[in-house]
Amino acid sequence: MDADPYVLEDGSRIAVIGGGPTGSFFSIFALKMAKMLDKQISVTIFEPKDFTRDGPIGCNHCGGIISELLVQTLAIEGINLPDSVVRKGINSYRLHTEKGSVHIATPALEKTIATVYRGGGPKGIIGRGKESFDRFLLMEAVREGAEHRPLKVDRVELREGRPVLFSKDREVLDADLVVGAFGVNSRSAEMFEPLGFGYRSPKTVKTAIAEIALSEDVMAEYFGDSIQLFLLPMKNIKFAAMIPKGTYVTLCILGKGMDAKTVERFLEHPVVRRVLPETIPYKVGCRCVPLMNVRAPKRPFTDRVVLCGDAGSTRLFKDGLGAAYIMGKAAARTAVFRGVSKEHFNSDYHRVYRSIITDNGFGRLLYMATDLYRNYGTLTSLMLDVVRAEQESPEKAKHLSSILWDMFTGNERYKNVFFRTLSPGLNVDQAGALAKILVGRGRHGGR
C-alpha cells in the first residue's frame, strides 16, 4: 500500500508566515510533537517585525491581557513566562457607567489575569526591565528548533500542489506545508485568496488603542491592581478598558467607526475624566486604529495550506492569546499526527476552528445584552445594584459579578457565560433590584 503523500516525514519543511503568538505556538508544538514521533522536520518562521523595538515599529496593536489559567497552562507545557514579560497582575476591575461605578473582585484565585506588552511597548520604554511577550514566544520557538527569518513573504504559489514562498519576487522556500499565522493588520491574507480554495480575509472592525504615560505613584493611587472598564452610552463604542502596565496605561476602545479622534472624544467624557487624575498632567503617547477580526473565514485550509489565529478564527473582542494557543496547537496536532491534506484538516483542525466560531455566536448575544444595559439608564442602575449587593456580601452568590468578569477577561467560554445568565438566582436578584428601582421612582413622582 502506497504511503500517504500528505503525511509529514523526516525532512519535511513547514513555512510559518507570522511570528506572533499563533505562529510561535504552532512552531513550538509542531516541533515538540514531531520529536515525540522521532521525526526530523524543519520549521521556518517568516516574521519581518522586530519585537524588541519600542514604539510603532515593534507594536502588535493589542491590549495585552493574558489569563492566569493560560499562564498556568503554558507552564505545564514547559513555557514559563518570566517576570520581565508579565507587567502587572490584575485581581479586580472597576466598572464605570453613567449611573455610577462598582468594584468587581476576581471570583476565584485561578481567575486572575496579567498584562503584557505584545510588541516592544511605548516609545522610550526599552531598557526598563521589560520584555515583549511576542519576542519571548518567538525565541521559545527558536530554542525548540525553529528558524526565524526576518523576511516579509509577499507571494505564495502552488507549484504541482506544493506551496512556494516568495519575498520581493525571490523564491525563499518550497514547503510541504505553509501556515498562515499573520494578523489582520497586514495584507498577507491577499496572498491566499488567489490560490482558489475559497479563503477570504476575515471580516474586521476598527478599534482604537493608545498608551497613557503616568508616574509609578499615580499608577498605584489611581489604578493599583485593577483594570478600569467603561460601559457608556457613547455612539459606536461597545466598551473600553484602561489596562495598567508599569508606568503606562493601555487604553483599548472597541466598537464601530473608530478614527483618529476617538481617543480624544472618549477621554473628554465626564465619567472618564473622573477616573484620570485632574491636577496631575498625563501624556497620551503612541496611538493607533488597528483592525480586529470579528468574523472568521469559512474555508481556512486546503492541501498543504492552513490558516489560523487572527487569519482564521479567534475569540470575539477578547482573549486573543488564549485563542492563539488553542488554534496554533490544534493546527500543529493535525499536521504532525494526522497529515496536511484538506481532508486531514477538515476531520481534526476544523472541529476546533468551528468551536470558536460557535462560541462567538453566544458572545454576540451577550454583547447585545450589554448594549441594552449600557444604553438604558434603568438597566444600567439595575446592573449596578445587583453587582454592589453581590460584592458587599461575602455569603451572597456572585452571579452577575462572575458573568461580567468572565465576559471581559476571557477566563471562560462565551457559551458557558451565556447559560449562566439563565440562572434562577440571578433572575430573582435582578427582579428584586428592578422592583426597588420602580418603587423608588414611584415615591418620587416617576422622576
Side-chain angles (χ1 to χ4, degrees), residues 229-260:
L229 184 68
F230 300 86
L231 286 178
L232 301 171
M234 296 182 68
K235 184 179 179 181
N236 294 332
I237 295 180
K238 280 190 171 293
F239 66 92
M242 290 183 177
I243 306 163
K245 300 175 184 177
T247 56
Y248 280 86
V249 172
T250 300
L251 169 62
C252 297
I253 307 174
L254 290 90
K256 296 180 180 179
M258 302 290 105
D259 57 35

Side-chain angles (χ1 to χ4, degrees), residues 7-15 31 34 38-44 162 173-177 304:
V7 171
L8 297 178
E9 300 292 351
D10 284 342
S12 293
R13 297 186 297 274
I14 299 176
L31 289 162
D38 199 27
K39 288 184 179 180
Q40 300 294 321
I41 64 172
S42 71
V43 176
T44 304
R162 296 171 60 85
L173 190 66
D174 176 356
D176 295 282
L177 170 66
R304 303 190 185 280

